[in-house]
Amino acid sequence: MAAAENAFLRARGRTLTAFRPDAEYQWKGPFYFIQGADPQFGLMKAWTHGDTENGDDEWGEEIKLAEQAVQAINKLNPKPKFFVLCGDLVHGMPGTRWKKNQEQDLKDVLKNTDQDIPLVFVSGNHDIGNTPTRETIDDYCKNWGDDYFSFWVGGVFFLVLNSQLYADSSKCPELRQAQDAWLDEQLAVAANQKCKHIIVFQHIPLFLSKPDEDDDYFNLDKSVRQVILEKFHKAGIRAVFSGHYHRNAGGFYKGLEMVVSSAIGCQLGQDTHGLRVVVVTEEKVVHRYYSLTDLGSHGIEQELLDMLAVQ
């Protein structure tokens, strides 16, 4: 059991073990990755029954959807560089009755992902709690790897952030300070390395459609948001990919694109259960959201494949 569990500790020492930085600093041509969000085992029944705190004792539908996602990804040719899950892996909050079972069932599905497609995990509020503590974050890290880290792929610098520390770090302010200091260091590294792009993954969106929109459960508070947006803009960050909203959304702040992807699991709007295909070229970052059914049956559109073929 221990060996199987450890297979999910993909980020250690603040970097992703699947990629060697020294081999990935240089641009090697266009590539793509898959972004998913919110498999959130247990939410579908809880939402249907109107009991989001205690109604998550069944998650058979989510298991099927996650299996469909893995099968669709495994069929893709060429293979994506990695598959990132942007938080809320399961619905159970830390310490709740079904959380461990939900996590184990998700791991049982994810272990069938093609071994050549690294998994990248992002912590969400249901993974570490709405008001995280050192203990809930430690527990997440033992299960899924570091809560924030960076990695390089083909001359592109990726940052994975713990957005819950921006939402409410009242019980662990020192961890928020540590992430802030680390982030500043990472952005300095990126500037020195002259990377092609910087791309961020986090669970909670900075904003849903407009940078100055009102505070909401589904975005970060304006006071925090504006500071982060300006820091990201000055650092030249190209895009921020998130989940949390269970609907597709997004917008722009100066040259930075905020991309909000709907869920693999429970939908709260009109979108389909799906995944986002993100193509990275020398000049731009292009993305498209696919339903699980379309991606599994038809694969990636020729238009995006043609972008990958350009060297």
Side-chain angles (χ1 to χ4, degrees), residues 29-75:
F31 64 89
Y32 81 102
F33 61 86
I34 301 293
Q35 183 220 3
D38 302 274
Q40 206 158 340
F41 283 21
L43 176 58
M44 290 176 83
K45 182 187 175 186
W47 187 260
T48 303
H49 286 240
D51 183 4
T52 55
E53 291 189 15
N54 304 296
D56 61 332
D57 59 343
E58 293 177 14
W59 50 92
E61 282 301 305
E62 286 97 331
I63 289 175
K64 288 177 188 171
L65 290 163
E67 287 174 341
Q68 192 179 353
V70 167
Q71 288 161 8
I73 291 167
N74 286 347
K75 286 165 67 175

Side-chain angles (χ1 to χ4, degrees), residues 12-278:
R12 312 301 289 164
R14 302 292 174 209
T15 191
L16 197 66
T17 56
F19 298 106
R20 280 181 35 229
D22 57 338
E24 296 291 343
Y25 284 143
Q26 300 303 315
W27 176 253
K28 301 171 185 173
F31 64 89
Y32 81 102
F33 61 86
I34 301 293
Q35 183 220 3
D38 302 274
Q40 206 158 340
F41 283 21
L43 176 58
M44 290 176 83
K45 182 187 175 186
W47 187 260
T48 303
H49 286 240
D51 183 4
T52 55
E53 291 189 15
N54 304 296
D56 61 332
D57 59 343
E58 293 177 14
W59 50 92
E61 282 301 305
E62 286 97 331
I63 289 175
K64 288 177 188 171
L65 290 163
E67 287 174 341
Q68 192 179 353
V70 167
Q71 288 161 8
I73 291 167
N74 286 347
K75 286 165 67 175
L76 293 174
N77 184 27
K79 290 182 174 126
K81 284 286 186 182
F82 58 86
F83 171 30
V84 57
L85 272 170
C86 281
D88 281 3
L89 305 175
V90 301
H91 183 66
M93 287 282 190
T96 55
R97 182 176 179 185
W98 304 108
K99 185 176 183 69
K100 293 295 180 192
N101 300 73
Q102 290 168 355
E103 288 182 329
Q104 188 55 57
D105 282 351
L106 178 59
K107 288 179 177 180
D108 287 344
V109 174
L110 292 176
K111 70 185 180 186
N112 294 314
T113 308
D114 188 308
Q115 293 301 300
D116 293 329
I117 304 172
L119 295 167
V120 181
F121 298 110
V122 181
S123 62
N125 57 304
H126 281 263
D127 304 312
I128 59 176
N130 285 324
T131 306
T133 64
R134 182 175 285 277
E135 290 71 30
T136 63
I137 291 174
D138 282 349
D139 187 61
Y140 171 87
C141 293
K142 284 173 190 160
N143 258 303
W144 304 101
D146 288 343
D147 59 321
Y148 60 90
F149 55 96
S150 64
F151 61 100
W152 289 82
V153 176
V156 177
F157 193 46
F158 292 94
L159 291 160
V160 172
L161 298 179
N162 180 344
S163 57
Q164 212 55 39
L165 294 175
Y166 295 127
D168 184 355
S169 61
S170 57
K171 290 186 178 175
C172 54
E174 74 286 358
L175 298 185
R176 160 78 185 270
Q177 291 162 7
Q179 178 172 255
D180 284 345
W182 173 87
L183 177 58
D184 288 341
E185 290 170 5
Q186 296 302 301
L187 294 176
V189 166
N192 289 336
Q193 286 290 343
K194 297 185 170 48
C195 51
K196 285 292 176 192
H197 307 291
I198 310 172
I199 294 173
V200 172
F201 300 120
Q202 59 188 59
H203 179 61
I204 302 178
L206 293 165
F207 60 89
L208 298 174
S209 58
K210 296 177 181 174
D212 60 349
E213 69 197 18
D214 291 340
D215 295 346
D216 188 280
Y217 171 78
F218 290 109
N219 61 21
L220 288 178
D221 287 357
K222 266 187 186 176
S223 56
V224 178
R225 181 197 316 164
Q226 194 56 45
V227 173
I228 297 173
L229 279 170
E230 197 51 33
K231 175 183 283 194
F232 283 6
H233 166 65
K234 285 179 177 170
I237 288 172
R238 177 59 63 98
V240 178
F241 289 88
S242 70
H244 189 53
Y245 192 42
H246 294 254
R247 286 154 281 209
N248 287 310
F252 286 87
Y253 175 79
K254 300 179 181 176
L256 180 154
E257 184 175 11
M258 180 70 243
V259 184
V260 185
S261 292
S262 197
I264 293 171
C266 187
Q267 299 298 313
L268 302 185
Q270 302 305 309
D271 296 297
T272 56
H273 308 282
L275 294 164
R276 192 173 294 277
V277 174
V278 186

